[in-house]
Amino acid sequence: MNTYDFDLFVIGAGSGGVRASRIAAGYGAKVAVAEEYRLGGTCVIRGCVPKKLLMYASQFGFALEDSKGFGWRVSEASHQWENLIRAKDTEVARLERVYEELLGKAGVEVTKGRATIVGAHEVRVNDVSYTAGHILVATGARPELPEIPGADLMVTSNDVLAMERAPERVAIVGGGYIACEFAGIFKGLGKKVWMVHRGSKLLRGFDEQVREHIGSELAASGIQMRLDSAVAAVERKHGAYLVYLGSGEILEVDLVVAATGRKPNTVGLGLERVGVQVDGQGAVPVDSYSRTSSDHVYAVGDVTNRINLTPVAIHEGHAFADSVFGAKPRPTDHEDVPFAVFSQPQVAAVGLTEAEACAKHGAVRVYSTAFRPMRATLSGRNERVLVKLIADDKTDRILGAHIVAPDAAEIIQGIAVALKAGATKADFDATLGVHPSVAEEFVTLRSARHATASQS
Ligand code: NDP
């Protein structure tokens, strides 16, 4: 029998890698994890956590504006970006220590440095070689800059989170999660914001009605929308940046953020040495047990480019450890994963879009309502929320739920439980609402329109 230094060597101490390490160690495996940057990975260090703290900061900006309608007189308010970043850094450092403690308590050996696979069961970190029975690739993804002249003048969300000073004028390129979220952050902090997106609608892959709704909501919040607008080039001039749009328009800003997608971190990992295939996007294809094309090498999280969300990576890491070290084989479950975009207002959904539901189930009933939320009556904010349910015409089962509203993320979590439990429209109808709330619309929707694959 082979003897290795470790039963499991994990590359990357982000959400997926840390969960897999801890669970595997809990089953008695000898585990090491290598991390080249900071423990916690994208979510903790430069993603979900710091982004959400910045979102909270910006919500006060919107709330200050809204407060006047409720009788508040706020004489002077200003925002100190550097104080926010300092407070955010302190919290992130605290969480990083929590991760370190969790790994330590679980008996996982942490190695700081960039790991490369050098042989079938061999990984090297800082010129030290380790052997392992299994290798788990959990290296995540990194932001990608578009290939345009002046791309090097653009920053990514990573840079924004570490910036010492806030810009007054910002152009955000892209129309996905990060673009929508950072546009809201800067807008709430009182900055002038342009969203420049090459497509006609934001959030590709989301329900079409949702995409239209969030586009008009972000515009109503004061963000300057430039849709169907490709960026031709970026140039630095007299301390500012010029963003050249395909339409001929030139935006003059203090910061250009590229939120144009992320790429799996596989370059230079040595995957080819152990026969691990990589697809055209640079992602590692895996089966439902997160197994790569090489027997003892597994991969979880964003590096596999399945559903790139923290809870999914954690689930994949946990299922891997159960399967390989816990004698409890279980495939990953990617059905009905709820998700939210922390734009302002937020977008959240679980299940299928209308088009997907039609394609998969033929005939569906669509229930939706868009209305002015109560809070907007006194605040005077030009704001509408959207609540939408899609039910299977044959079984009455709810196939998809979508919402664009403040706190949409908090609302969708409970709806996701209902979908996972197989709730029908009749179950929703039998549930009483919480009044007055936006969420109650999910149980009071009554009039349906019928949709079929041919219409969508
Ligand atoms: P997304 O894939 O969500 O969005 C990328 C955007 O950039 C799209 O609008 C895309 O347009 C556009 N784009 C891509 N390439 C170019 C280009 N060359 N020029 C101009 N525009 C371009 O990526 P993000 O980086 O925003 O987020 C990455 C992933 O991380 C998300 O998909 C999500 O899985 C995860 N994430 C989750 C969050 C959450 O849960 N709240 C928050 C942030 C990220 P087009 O649509 O036309 O392709």
Side-chain angles (χ1 to χ4, degrees), residues 51 146 174-179 181 197-198 204 259-262 308-309 340-342:
K51 173 277 307 289
Y177 277 78
I178 295 179
E181 292 179 343
H197 177 42
R198 65 184 179 183
R204 183 152 61 90
T260 47
R262 297 172 64 86
N308 299 329
L309 301 173
V341 183
F342 292 96

mmCIF file with all atom_site columns, all heavy atoms in Angstrom, residues 51 146 174-179 181 197-198 204 259-262 308-309 340-342, ligand 1:
data_model
loop_
_atom_site.group_PDB
_atom_site.id
_atom_site.type_symbol
_atom_site.label_atom_id
_atom_site.label_alt_id
_atom_site.label_comp_id
_atom_site.label_asym_id
_atom_site.label_entity_id
_atom_site.label_seq_id
_atom_site.pdbx_PDB_ins_code
_atom_site.Cartn_x
_atom_site.Cartn_y
_atom_site.Cartn_z
_atom_site.occupancy
_atom_site.B_iso_or_equiv
_atom_site.pdbx_formal_charge
_atom_site.auth_seq_id
_atom_site.auth_comp_id
_atom_site.auth_asym_id
_atom_site.auth_atom_id
_atom_site.pdbx_PDB_model_num
ATOM   1   N N   . LYS A 1 51  ? -18.013 43.032 -0.102  1.00 0.00 ? 51  LYS A N   1
ATOM   2   C CA  . LYS A 1 51  ? -19.014 43.654 -1.000  1.00 0.00 ? 51  LYS A CA  1
ATOM   3   C C   . LYS A 1 51  ? -20.288 43.976 -0.229  1.00 0.00 ? 51  LYS A C   1
ATOM   4   O O   . LYS A 1 51  ? -20.858 45.050 -0.361  1.00 0.00 ? 51  LYS A O   1
ATOM   5   C CB  . LYS A 1 51  ? -19.274 42.695 -2.162  1.00 0.00 ? 51  LYS A CB  1
ATOM   6   C CG  . LYS A 1 51  ? -20.374 43.030 -3.134  1.00 0.00 ? 51  LYS A CG  1
ATOM   7   C CD  . LYS A 1 51  ? -21.772 42.660 -2.748  1.00 0.00 ? 51  LYS A CD  1
ATOM   8   C CE  . LYS A 1 51  ? -22.028 41.246 -2.338  1.00 0.00 ? 51  LYS A CE  1
ATOM   9   N NZ  . LYS A 1 51  ? -21.977 40.256 -3.398  1.00 0.00 ? 51  LYS A NZ  1
ATOM   10  N N   . PRO A 1 146 ? -11.462 43.021 -20.128 1.00 0.00 ? 146 PRO A N   1
ATOM   11  C CA  . PRO A 1 146 ? -11.774 42.846 -21.552 1.00 0.00 ? 146 PRO A CA  1
ATOM   12  C C   . PRO A 1 146 ? -10.551 43.171 -22.399 1.00 0.00 ? 146 PRO A C   1
ATOM   13  O O   . PRO A 1 146 ? -9.654  43.882 -21.950 1.00 0.00 ? 146 PRO A O   1
ATOM   14  C CB  . PRO A 1 146 ? -12.890 43.878 -21.790 1.00 0.00 ? 146 PRO A CB  1
ATOM   15  C CG  . PRO A 1 146 ? -12.713 44.897 -20.725 1.00 0.00 ? 146 PRO A CG  1
ATOM   16  C CD  . PRO A 1 146 ? -12.078 44.208 -19.543 1.00 0.00 ? 146 PRO A CD  1
ATOM   17  N N   . GLY A 1 174 ? -19.926 46.197 -17.919 1.00 0.00 ? 174 GLY A N   1
ATOM   18  C CA  . GLY A 1 174 ? -20.476 44.863 -17.691 1.00 0.00 ? 174 GLY A CA  1
ATOM   19  C C   . GLY A 1 174 ? -21.913 44.978 -17.204 1.00 0.00 ? 174 GLY A C   1
ATOM   20  O O   . GLY A 1 174 ? -22.345 46.063 -16.774 1.00 0.00 ? 174 GLY A O   1
ATOM   21  N N   . GLY A 1 175 ? -22.620 43.877 -17.296 1.00 0.00 ? 175 GLY A N   1
ATOM   22  C CA  . GLY A 1 175 ? -24.024 43.912 -16.881 1.00 0.00 ? 175 GLY A CA  1
ATOM   23  C C   . GLY A 1 175 ? -24.392 42.701 -16.046 1.00 0.00 ? 175 GLY A C   1
ATOM   24  O O   . GLY A 1 175 ? -25.542 42.282 -16.013 1.00 0.00 ? 175 GLY A O   1
ATOM   25  N N   . GLY A 1 176 ? -23.398 42.120 -15.359 1.00 0.00 ? 176 GLY A N   1
ATOM   26  C CA  . GLY A 1 176 ? -23.651 40.930 -14.554 1.00 0.00 ? 176 GLY A CA  1
ATOM   27  C C   . GLY A 1 176 ? -23.801 41.268 -13.077 1.00 0.00 ? 176 GLY A C   1
ATOM   28  O O   . GLY A 1 176 ? -24.099 42.404 -12.710 1.00 0.00 ? 176 GLY A O   1
ATOM   29  N N   . TYR A 1 177 ? -23.581 40.255 -12.252 1.00 0.00 ? 177 TYR A N   1
ATOM   30  C CA  . TYR A 1 177 ? -23.719 40.402 -10.794 1.00 0.00 ? 177 TYR A CA  1
ATOM   31  C C   . TYR A 1 177 ? -22.878 41.573 -10.267 1.00 0.00 ? 177 TYR A C   1
ATOM   32  O O   . TYR A 1 177 ? -23.377 42.463 -9.582  1.00 0.00 ? 177 TYR A O   1
ATOM   33  C CB  . TYR A 1 177 ? -23.181 39.146 -10.099 1.00 0.00 ? 177 TYR A CB  1
ATOM   34  C CG  . TYR A 1 177 ? -24.091 37.967 -9.982  1.00 0.00 ? 177 TYR A CG  1
ATOM   35  C CD1 . TYR A 1 177 ? -24.329 37.123 -11.058 1.00 0.00 ? 177 TYR A CD1 1
ATOM   36  C CD2 . TYR A 1 177 ? -24.682 37.648 -8.761  1.00 0.00 ? 177 TYR A CD2 1
ATOM   37  C CE1 . TYR A 1 177 ? -25.124 35.994 -10.921 1.00 0.00 ? 177 TYR A CE1 1
ATOM   38  C CE2 . TYR A 1 177 ? -25.474 36.523 -8.609  1.00 0.00 ? 177 TYR A CE2 1
ATOM   39  C CZ  . TYR A 1 177 ? -25.689 35.695 -9.701  1.00 0.00 ? 177 TYR A CZ  1
ATOM   40  O OH  . TYR A 1 177 ? -26.469 34.586 -9.552  1.00 0.00 ? 177 TYR A OH  1
ATOM   41  N N   . ILE A 1 178 ? -21.585 41.516 -10.577 1.00 0.00 ? 178 ILE A N   1
ATOM   42  C CA  . ILE A 1 178 ? -20.661 42.467 -9.951  1.00 0.00 ? 178 ILE A CA  1
ATOM   43  C C   . ILE A 1 178 ? -20.933 43.881 -10.445 1.00 0.00 ? 178 ILE A C   1
ATOM   44  O O   . ILE A 1 178 ? -20.911 44.842 -9.664  1.00 0.00 ? 178 ILE A O   1
ATOM   45  C CB  . ILE A 1 178 ? -19.193 42.026 -10.198 1.00 0.00 ? 178 ILE A CB  1
ATOM   46  C CG1 . ILE A 1 178 ? -18.963 40.690 -9.468  1.00 0.00 ? 178 ILE A CG1 1
ATOM   47  C CG2 . ILE A 1 178 ? -18.204 43.082 -9.746  1.00 0.00 ? 178 ILE A CG2 1
ATOM   48  C CD1 . ILE A 1 178 ? -17.579 40.100 -9.619  1.00 0.00 ? 178 ILE A CD1 1
ATOM   49  N N   . ALA A 1 179 ? -21.246 44.018 -11.727 1.00 0.00 ? 179 ALA A N   1
ATOM   50  C CA  . ALA A 1 179 ? -21.552 45.348 -12.274 1.00 0.00 ? 179 ALA A CA  1
ATOM   51  C C   . ALA A 1 179 ? -22.760 45.943 -11.550 1.00 0.00 ? 179 ALA A C   1
ATOM   52  O O   . ALA A 1 179 ? -22.732 47.103 -11.119 1.00 0.00 ? 179 ALA A O   1
ATOM   53  C CB  . ALA A 1 179 ? -21.813 45.243 -13.778 1.00 0.00 ? 179 ALA A CB  1
ATOM   54  N N   . GLU A 1 181 ? -24.001 45.174 -8.651  1.00 0.00 ? 181 GLU A N   1
ATOM   55  C CA  . GLU A 1 181 ? -23.767 45.398 -7.222  1.00 0.00 ? 181 GLU A CA  1
ATOM   56  C C   . GLU A 1 181 ? -22.903 46.639 -6.983  1.00 0.00 ? 181 GLU A C   1
ATOM   57  O O   . GLU A 1 181 ? -23.218 47.480 -6.139  1.00 0.00 ? 181 GLU A O   1
ATOM   58  C CB  . GLU A 1 181 ? -23.117 44.154 -6.605  1.00 0.00 ? 181 GLU A CB  1
ATOM   59  C CG  . GLU A 1 181 ? -24.099 42.971 -6.576  1.00 0.00 ? 181 GLU A CG  1
ATOM   60  C CD  . GLU A 1 181 ? -23.536 41.692 -6.003  1.00 0.00 ? 181 GLU A CD  1
ATOM   61  O OE1 . GLU A 1 181 ? -22.296 41.579 -5.898  1.00 0.00 ? 181 GLU A OE1 1
ATOM   62  O OE2 . GLU A 1 181 ? -24.338 40.793 -5.665  1.00 0.00 ? 181 GLU A OE2 1
ATOM   63  N N   . HIS A 1 197 ? -22.972 48.572 -20.718 1.00 0.00 ? 197 HIS A N   1
ATOM   64  C CA  . HIS A 1 197 ? -23.147 47.138 -20.963 1.00 0.00 ? 197 HIS A CA  1
ATOM   65  C C   . HIS A 1 197 ? -23.341 46.880 -22.457 1.00 0.00 ? 197 HIS A C   1
ATOM   66  O O   . HIS A 1 197 ? -24.108 47.572 -23.116 1.00 0.00 ? 197 HIS A O   1
ATOM   67  C CB  . HIS A 1 197 ? -24.355 46.641 -20.156 1.00 0.00 ? 197 HIS A CB  1
ATOM   68  C CG  . HIS A 1 197 ? -24.668 45.196 -20.390 1.00 0.00 ? 197 HIS A CG  1
ATOM   69  N ND1 . HIS A 1 197 ? -23.694 44.225 -20.477 1.00 0.00 ? 197 HIS A ND1 1
ATOM   70  C CD2 . HIS A 1 197 ? -25.854 44.553 -20.544 1.00 0.00 ? 197 HIS A CD2 1
ATOM   71  C CE1 . HIS A 1 197 ? -24.264 43.055 -20.680 1.00 0.00 ? 197 HIS A CE1 1
ATOM   72  N NE2 . HIS A 1 197 ? -25.571 43.219 -20.742 1.00 0.00 ? 197 HIS A NE2 1
ATOM   73  N N   . ARG A 1 198 ? -22.676 45.848 -22.942 1.00 0.00 ? 198 ARG A N   1
ATOM   74  C CA  . ARG A 1 198 ? -22.737 45.566 -24.381 1.00 0.00 ? 198 ARG A CA  1
ATOM   75  C C   . ARG A 1 198 ? -24.095 45.009 -24.805 1.00 0.00 ? 198 ARG A C   1
ATOM   76  O O   . ARG A 1 198 ? -24.464 45.078 -25.971 1.00 0.00 ? 198 ARG A O   1
ATOM   77  C CB  . ARG A 1 198 ? -21.628 44.597 -24.769 1.00 0.00 ? 198 ARG A CB  1
ATOM   78  C CG  . ARG A 1 198 ? -21.756 43.211 -24.134 1.00 0.00 ? 198 ARG A CG  1
ATOM   79  C CD  . ARG A 1 198 ? -20.581 42.340 -24.496 1.00 0.00 ? 198 ARG A CD  1
ATOM   80  N NE  . ARG A 1 198 ? -20.686 41.024 -23.888 1.00 0.00 ? 198 ARG A NE  1
ATOM   81  C CZ  . ARG A 1 198 ? -19.758 40.077 -24.001 1.00 0.00 ? 198 ARG A CZ  1
ATOM   82  N NH1 . ARG A 1 198 ? -18.646 40.315 -24.672 1.00 0.00 ? 198 ARG A NH1 1
ATOM   83  N NH2 . ARG A 1 198 ? -19.916 38.911 -23.425 1.00 0.00 ? 198 ARG A NH2 1
ATOM   84  N N   . ARG A 1 204 ? -27.704 38.559 -17.839 1.00 0.00 ? 204 ARG A N   1
ATOM   85  C CA  . ARG A 1 204 ? -27.988 37.470 -18.778 1.00 0.00 ? 204 ARG A CA  1
ATOM   86  C C   . ARG A 1 204 ? -28.211 36.173 -17.996 1.00 0.00 ? 204 ARG A C   1
ATOM   87  O O   . ARG A 1 204 ? -27.546 35.899 -17.007 1.00 0.00 ? 204 ARG A O   1
ATOM   88  C CB  . ARG A 1 204 ? -26.813 37.297 -19.747 1.00 0.00 ? 204 ARG A CB  1
ATOM   89  C CG  . ARG A 1 204 ? -27.056 36.247 -20.789 1.00 0.00 ? 204 ARG A CG  1
ATOM   90  C CD  . ARG A 1 204 ? -26.270 36.584 -22.037 1.00 0.00 ? 204 ARG A CD  1
ATOM   91  N NE  . ARG A 1 204 ? -24.840 36.632 -21.791 1.00 0.00 ? 204 ARG A NE  1
ATOM   92  C CZ  . ARG A 1 204 ? -24.034 35.582 -21.897 1.00 0.00 ? 204 ARG A CZ  1
ATOM   93  N NH1 . ARG A 1 204 ? -24.503 34.398 -22.208 1.00 0.00 ? 204 ARG A NH1 1
ATOM   94  N NH2 . ARG A 1 204 ? -22.738 35.714 -21.693 1.00 0.00 ? 204 ARG A NH2 1
ATOM   95  N N   . ALA A 1 259 ? -16.222 44.867 -14.863 1.00 0.00 ? 259 ALA A N   1
ATOM   96  C CA  . ALA A 1 259 ? -16.969 43.786 -14.190 1.00 0.00 ? 259 ALA A CA  1
ATOM   97  C C   . ALA A 1 259 ? -17.444 42.859 -15.292 1.00 0.00 ? 259 ALA A C   1
ATOM   98  O O   . ALA A 1 259 ? -18.636 42.638 -15.495 1.00 0.00 ? 259 ALA A O   1
ATOM   99  C CB  . ALA A 1 259 ? -18.135 44.368 -13.402 1.00 0.00 ? 259 ALA A CB  1
ATOM   100 N N   . THR A 1 260 ? -16.473 42.361 -16.029 1.00 0.00 ? 260 THR A N   1
ATOM   101 C CA  . THR A 1 260 ? -16.752 41.656 -17.282 1.00 0.00 ? 260 THR A CA  1
ATOM   102 C C   . THR A 1 260 ? -16.537 40.149 -17.168 1.00 0.00 ? 260 THR A C   1
ATOM   103 O O   . THR A 1 260 ? -16.226 39.482 -18.141 1.00 0.00 ? 260 THR A O   1
ATOM   104 C CB  . THR A 1 260 ? -15.883 42.249 -18.412 1.00 0.00 ? 260 THR A CB  1
ATOM   105 O OG1 . THR A 1 260 ? -14.541 42.354 -17.937 1.00 0.00 ? 260 THR A OG1 1
ATOM   106 C CG2 . THR A 1 260 ? -16.368 43.612 -18.830 1.00 0.00 ? 260 THR A CG2 1
ATOM   107 N N   . GLY A 1 261 ? -16.720 39.632 -15.969 1.00 0.00 ? 261 GLY A N   1
ATOM   108 C CA  . GLY A 1 261 ? -16.658 38.192 -15.799 1.00 0.00 ? 261 GLY A CA  1
ATOM   109 C C   . GLY A 1 261 ? -15.391 37.718 -15.112 1.00 0.00 ? 261 GLY A C   1
ATOM   110 O O   . GLY A 1 261 ? -14.448 38.495 -14.897 1.00 0.00 ? 261 GLY A O   1
ATOM   111 N N   . ARG A 1 262 ? -15.419 36.445 -14.759 1.00 0.00 ? 262 ARG A N   1
ATOM   112 C CA  . ARG A 1 262 ? -14.305 35.864 -14.028 1.00 0.00 ? 262 ARG A CA  1
ATOM   113 C C   . ARG A 1 262 ? -13.840 34.581 -14.724 1.00 0.00 ? 262 ARG A C   1
ATOM   114 O O   . ARG A 1 262 ? -14.615 33.952 -15.426 1.00 0.00 ? 262 ARG A O   1
ATOM   115 C CB  . ARG A 1 262 ? -14.726 35.564 -12.579 1.00 0.00 ? 262 ARG A CB  1
ATOM   116 C CG  . ARG A 1 262 ? -15.090 36.833 -11.810 1.00 0.00 ? 262 ARG A CG  1
ATOM   117 C CD  . ARG A 1 262 ? -15.697 36.511 -10.456 1.00 0.00 ? 262 ARG A CD  1
ATOM   118 N NE  . ARG A 1 262 ? -14.772 35.841 -9.569  1.00 0.00 ? 262 ARG A NE  1
ATOM   119 C CZ  . ARG A 1 262 ? -13.892 36.438 -8.780  1.00 0.00 ? 262 ARG A CZ  1
ATOM   120 N NH1 . ARG A 1 262 ? -13.815 37.763 -8.768  1.00 0.00 ? 262 ARG A NH1 1
ATOM   121 N NH2 . ARG A 1 262 ? -13.093 35.739 -7.989  1.00 0.00 ? 262 ARG A NH2 1
ATOM   122 N N   . ASN A 1 308 ? -21.425 29.338 -9.797  1.00 0.00 ? 308 ASN A N   1
ATOM   123 C CA  . ASN A 1 308 ? -20.332 29.985 -9.067  1.00 0.00 ? 308 ASN A CA  1
ATOM   124 C C   . ASN A 1 308 ? -20.833 30.806 -7.890  1.00 0.00 ? 308 ASN A C   1
ATOM   125 O O   . ASN A 1 308 ? -20.851 32.034 -7.925  1.00 0.00 ? 308 ASN A O   1
ATOM   126 C CB  . ASN A 1 308 ? -19.512 30.851 -10.032 1.00 0.00 ? 308 ASN A CB  1
ATOM   127 C CG  . ASN A 1 308 ? -18.905 30.014 -11.139 1.00 0.00 ? 308 ASN A CG  1
ATOM   128 O OD1 . ASN A 1 308 ? -18.599 28.843 -10.929 1.00 0.00 ? 308 ASN A OD1 1
ATOM   129 N ND2 . ASN A 1 308 ? -18.758 30.593 -12.311 1.00 0.00 ? 308 ASN A ND2 1
ATOM   130 N N   . LEU A 1 309 ? -21.252 30.105 -6.861  1.00 0.00 ? 309 LEU A N   1
ATOM   131 C CA  . LEU A 1 309 ? -21.769 30.753 -5.661  1.00 0.00 ? 309 LEU A CA  1
ATOM   132 C C   . LEU A 1 309 ? -21.167 30.075 -4.434  1.00 0.00 ? 309 LEU A C   1
ATOM   133 O O   . LEU A 1 309 ? -20.954 28.855 -4.441  1.00 0.00 ? 309 LEU A O   1
ATOM   134 C CB  . LEU A 1 309 ? -23.299 30.632 -5.590  1.00 0.00 ? 309 LEU A CB  1
ATOM   135 C CG  . LEU A 1 309 ? -24.081 31.233 -6.762  1.00 0.00 ? 309 LEU A CG  1
ATOM   136 C CD1 . LEU A 1 309 ? -25.558 30.883 -6.647  1.00 0.00 ? 309 LEU A CD1 1
ATOM   137 C CD2 . LEU A 1 309 ? -23.906 32.749 -6.814  1.00 0.00 ? 309 LEU A CD2 1
ATOM   138 N N   . ALA A 1 340 ? -28.996 35.544 -5.249  1.00 0.00 ? 340 ALA A N   1
ATOM   139 C CA  . ALA A 1 340 ? -29.398 36.954 -5.143  1.00 0.00 ? 340 ALA A CA  1
ATOM   140 C C   . ALA A 1 340 ? -28.293 37.853 -5.654  1.00 0.00 ? 340 ALA A C   1
ATOM   141 O O   . ALA A 1 340 ? -27.114 37.560 -5.475  1.00 0.00 ? 340 ALA A O   1
ATOM   142 C CB  . ALA A 1 340 ? -29.702 37.294 -3.692  1.00 0.00 ? 340 ALA A CB  1
ATOM   143 N N   . VAL A 1 341 ? -28.699 38.915 -6.282  1.00 0.00 ? 341 VAL A N   1
ATOM   144 C CA  . VAL A 1 341 ? -27.757 39.956 -6.686  1.00 0.00 ? 341 VAL A CA  1
ATOM   145 C C   . VAL A 1 341 ? -27.993 41.110 -5.717  1.00 0.00 ? 341 VAL A C   1
ATOM   146 O O   . VAL A 1 341 ? -29.127 41.587 -5.584  1.00 0.00 ? 341 VAL A O   1
ATOM   147 C CB  . VAL A 1 341 ? -28.036 40.435 -8.130  1.00 0.00 ? 341 VAL A CB  1
ATOM   148 C CG1 . VAL A 1 341 ? -27.001 41.465 -8.559  1.00 0.00 ? 341 VAL A CG1 1
ATOM   149 C CG2 . VAL A 1 341 ? -28.057 39.257 -9.089  1.00 0.00 ? 341 VAL A CG2 1
ATOM   150 N N   . PHE A 1 342 ? -26.925 41.551 -5.049  1.00 0.00 ? 342 PHE A N   1
ATOM   151 C CA  . PHE A 1 342 ? -27.095 42.607 -4.052  1.00 0.00 ? 342 PHE A CA  1
ATOM   152 C C   . PHE A 1 342 ? -26.982 43.989 -4.683  1.00 0.00 ? 342 PHE A C   1
ATOM   153 O O   . PHE A 1 342 ? -26.219 44.836 -4.260  1.00 0.00 ? 342 PHE A O   1
ATOM   154 C CB  . PHE A 1 342 ? -26.108 42.404 -2.894  1.00 0.00 ? 342 PHE A CB  1
ATOM   155 C CG  . PHE A 1 342 ? -26.437 41.172 -2.103  1.00 0.00 ? 342 PHE A CG  1
ATOM   156 C CD1 . PHE A 1 342 ? -25.812 39.965 -2.358  1.00 0.00 ? 342 PHE A CD1 1
ATOM   157 C CD2 . PHE A 1 342 ? -27.433 41.216 -1.139  1.00 0.00 ? 342 PHE A CD2 1
ATOM   158 C CE1 . PHE A 1 342 ? -26.152 38.822 -1.653  1.00 0.00 ? 342 PHE A CE1 1
ATOM   159 C CE2 . PHE A 1 342 ? -27.791 40.080 -0.426  1.00 0.00 ? 342 PHE A CE2 1
ATOM   160 C CZ  . PHE A 1 342 ? -27.154 38.885 -0.681  1.00 0.00 ? 342 PHE A CZ  1
HETATM 161 P P1  . NDP B 2 .   ? -21.030 37.801 -14.887 1.00 0.00 ? 1   NDP B P1  1
HETATM 162 O O1  . NDP B 2 .   ? -20.712 36.630 -15.714 1.00 0.00 ? 1   NDP B O1  1
HETATM 163 O O2  . NDP B 2 .   ? -22.176 37.757 -13.959 1.00 0.00 ? 1   NDP B O2  1
HETATM 164 O O3  . NDP B 2 .   ? -21.174 39.088 -15.792 1.00 0.00 ? 1   NDP B O3  1
HETATM 165 C C1  . NDP B 2 .   ? -20.200 39.463 -16.708 1.00 0.00 ? 1   NDP B C1  1
HETATM 166 C C2  . NDP B 2 .   ? -20.733 40.618 -17.502 1.00 0.00 ? 1   NDP B C2  1
HETATM 167 O O4  . NDP B 2 .   ? -19.704 41.164 -18.294 1.00 0.00 ? 1   NDP B O4  1
HETATM 168 C C3  . NDP B 2 .   ? -21.871 40.236 -18.441 1.00 0.00 ? 1   NDP B C3  1
HETATM 169 O O5  . NDP B 2 .   ? -22.821 41.249 -18.415 1.00 0.00 ? 1   NDP B O5  1
HETATM 170 C C4  . NDP B 2 .   ? -21.172 40.133 -19.790 1.00 0.00 ? 1   NDP B C4  1
HETATM 171 O O6  . NDP B 2 .   ? -22.020 40.465 -20.844 1.00 0.00 ? 1   NDP B O6  1
HETATM 172 C C5  . NDP B 2 .   ? -20.126 41.196 -19.658 1.00 0.00 ? 1   NDP B C5  1
HETATM 173 N N1  . NDP B 2 .   ? -18.935 40.937 -20.464 1.00 0.00 ? 1   NDP B N1  1
HETATM 174 C C6  . NDP B 2 .   ? -18.218 39.801 -20.556 1.00 0.00 ? 1   NDP B C6  1
HETATM 175 N N2  . NDP B 2 .   ? -17.155 39.980 -21.362 1.00 0.00 ? 1   NDP B N2  1
HETATM 176 C C7  . NDP B 2 .   ? -17.219 41.243 -21.801 1.00 0.00 ? 1   NDP B C7  1
HETATM 177 C C8  . NDP B 2 .   ? -16.409 42.015 -22.673 1.00 0.00 ? 1   NDP B C8  1
HETATM 178 N N3  . NDP B 2 .   ? -15.316 41.505 -23.235 1.00 0.00 ? 1   NDP B N3  1
HETATM 179 N N4  . NDP B 2 .   ? -16.766 43.279 -22.915 1.00 0.00 ? 1   NDP B N4  1
HETATM 180 C C9  . NDP B 2 .   ? -17.861 43.810 -22.330 1.00 0.00 ? 1   NDP B C9  1
HETATM 181 N N5  . NDP B 2 .   ? -18.668 43.129 -21.503 1.00 0.00 ? 1   NDP B N5  1
HETATM 182 C C10 . NDP B 2 .   ? -18.339 41.861 -21.225 1.00 0.00 ? 1   NDP B C10 1
HETATM 183 O O7  . NDP B 2 .   ? -19.656 38.062 -14.117 1.00 0.00 ? 1   NDP B O7  1
HETATM 184 P P2  . NDP B 2 .   ? -19.321 38.811 -12.764 1.00 0.00 ? 1   NDP B P2  1
HETATM 185 O O8  . NDP B 2 .   ? -17.872 39.060 -12.854 1.00 0.00 ? 1   NDP B O8  1
HETATM 186 O O9  . NDP B 2 .   ? -20.265 39.921 -12.504 1.00 0.00 ? 1   NDP B O9  1
HETATM 187 O O10 . NDP B 2 .   ? -19.573 37.687 -11.688 1.00 0.00 ? 1   NDP B O10 1
HETATM 188 C C11 . NDP B 2 .   ? -18.962 36.410 -11.855 1.00 0.00 ? 1   NDP B C11 1
HETATM 189 C C12 . NDP B 2 .   ? -19.763 35.359 -11.148 1.00 0.00 ? 1   NDP B C12 1
HETATM 190 O O11 . NDP B 2 .   ? -19.519 35.446 -9.764  1.00 0.00 ? 1   NDP B O11 1
HETATM 191 C C13 . NDP B 2 .   ? -21.274 35.520 -11.301 1.00 0.00 ? 1   NDP B C13 1
HETATM 192 O O12 . NDP B 2 .   ? -21.752 34.968 -12.480 1.00 0.00 ? 1   NDP B O12 1
HETATM 193 C C14 . NDP B 2 .   ? -21.761 34.791 -10.075 1.00 0.00 ? 1   NDP B C14 1
HETATM 194 O O13 . NDP B 2 .   ? -21.794 33.421 -10.344 1.00 0.00 ? 1   NDP B O13 1
HETATM 195 C C15 . NDP B 2 .   ? -20.679 35.119 -9.055  1.00 0.00 ? 1   NDP B C15 1
HETATM 196 N N6  . NDP B 2 .   ? -21.073 36.255 -8.201  1.00 0.00 ? 1   NDP B N6  1
HETATM 197 C C16 . NDP B 2 .   ? -22.124 36.091 -7.344  1.00 0.00 ? 1   NDP B C16 1
HETATM 198 C C17 . NDP B 2 .   ? -22.547 37.115 -6.548  1.00 0.00 ? 1   NDP B C17 1
HETATM 199 C C18 . NDP B 2 .   ? -23.706 36.911 -5.643  1.00 0.00 ? 1   NDP B C18 1
HETATM 200 O O14 . NDP B 2 .   ? -24.049 35.759 -5.377  1.00 0.00 ? 1   NDP B O14 1
HETATM 201 N N7  . NDP B 2 .   ? -24.371 37.963 -5.187  1.00 0.00 ? 1   NDP B N7  1
HETATM 202 C C19 . NDP B 2 .   ? -21.879 38.418 -6.571  1.00 0.00 ? 1   NDP B C19 1
HETATM 203 C C20 . NDP B 2 .   ? -20.811 38.493 -7.510  1.00 0.00 ? 1   NDP B C20 1
HETATM 204 C C21 . NDP B 2 .   ? -20.421 37.457 -8.283  1.00 0.00 ? 1   NDP B C21 1
HETATM 205 P P3  . NDP B 2 .   ? -22.935 39.370 -21.588 1.00 0.00 ? 1   NDP B P3  1
HETATM 206 O O15 . NDP B 2 .   ? -24.089 39.137 -20.704 1.00 0.00 ? 1   NDP B O15 1
HETATM 207 O O16 . NDP B 2 .   ? -23.275 40.020 -22.871 1.00 0.00 ? 1   NDP B O16 1
HETATM 208 O O17 . NDP B 2 .   ? -22.075 38.164 -21.745 1.00 0.00 ? 1   NDP B O17 1
#
